[in-house]
Amino acid sequence: MNLFLIGFMGCGKSSQAPLLSERLGLPVMEMDREIEERAGMTIREIFERFGEEDFRMRESGLLRELGDKSYVVSCGGGLPLLLGNRRMMRESGRVIYLTAAPETILKRLERGREERPLLRGGAGLSEIRSLMESREKHYRAAADFLVATDGRSPEEIREEILSLLPFSGS
Ligand code: S3P
């Protein structure tokens, strides 16, 4: 069974995954990195050369492969937008939605913004807010549990997630 971490860019999926991996004894699958490795190029290059739709197909393909495996999966921020992806996640594990206020996201994304094609070109608070609002219903539809991350340490967040899981053993 997989543990999927979903949420907006900068909500803390990538930093949470190794912490949970250590406690659960499951390997980490960082989807963006895996897609980059397989493609031999960065996400940004994939978007530029092949477009967003192509990237989304790579994401869904990788997700399908994870179906019968057991990973802590750090999902790209757009993965839950497709109904098929939401179904695959729910069928093959538990889904945790990490929430954060747009202000928090903006602060966390100060670095690494250029690597995120959807936020390039100086996206500010209002762009983040509106993209987030349009995605919120999909994140909620995919999630088994919501976990708030604003103003909390990674360890606190990890403990809350573990308390929600039937297979945590803690
Ligand atoms: C995306 C989020 C990114 C990456 C791509 C698209 C999105 O992942 O998959 O840039 O649509 O929100 P992170 O959420 O890990 O930044």
Side-chain angles (χ1 to χ4, degrees):
M1 185 189 263
N2 292 295
L3 176 61
F4 295 100
L5 302 177
I6 64 166
F8 204 76
M9 293 168 262
C11 70
K13 296 164 290 185
S14 302
S15 30
Q16 216 26 247
L19 299 180
L20 289 162
S21 150
E22 198 190 342
R23 287 283 285 276
L24 295 170
L26 298 176
V28 173
M29 169 58 70
E30 177 71 45
M31 290 189 73
D32 286 348
R33 297 294 84 75
E34 181 69 19
I35 290 169
E36 288 184 327
E37 237 164 71
R38 292 183 184 191
M41 60 183 101
T42 64
I43 303 282
R44 180 177 157 176
E45 285 165 342
I46 297 174
F47 269 69
E48 281 168 5
R49 289 180 57 177
F50 304 115
E52 180 171 350
E53 204 174 316
D54 177 275
F55 173 72
R56 299 297 173 203
M57 278 167 51
R58 291 172 201 251
E59 276 189 316
S60 300
L62 175 56
L63 182 60
R64 204 168 301 119
E65 285 178 38
L66 300 179
D68 56 354
K69 308 217 165 57
S70 290
Y71 283 96
V72 177
V73 187
S74 171
C75 300
L79 187 78
L81 303 184
L82 298 178
L83 175 63
N85 291 348
R86 296 198 291 274
R87 287 205 176 124
M88 277 193 272
M89 286 193 277
R90 301 215 35 145
E91 279 164 14
S92 74
R94 290 292 146 95
V95 185
I96 307 284
Y97 170 24
L98 298 177
T99 68
E103 292 77 6
T104 309
I105 298 288
L106 185 67
K107 217 176 287 165
R108 289 189 191 151
L109 292 183
E110 262 159 18
R111 278 169 298 131
R113 198 117 71 97
E114 285 305 302
E115 293 310 315
R116 290 177 162 101
L118 299 179
L119 295 180
R120 287 183 73 203
L125 199 55
S126 63
E127 284 86 359
I128 291 175
R129 191 174 284 130
S130 68
L131 190 56
M132 231 183 195
E133 276 167 11
S134 70
R135 290 177 165 197
E136 175 74 13
K137 59 180 179 299
H138 300 303
Y139 290 146
R140 284 178 180 267
D144 291 299
F145 303 107
L146 268 64
V147 173
T149 66
D150 294 291
R152 304 175 75 191
S153 73
E155 290 72 25
E156 270 178 85
I157 298 165
R158 175 191 60 193
E159 293 311 312
E160 180 175 349
I161 295 172
L162 289 173
S163 76
L164 298 168
L165 300 178
F167 50 89
S168 70
S170 67

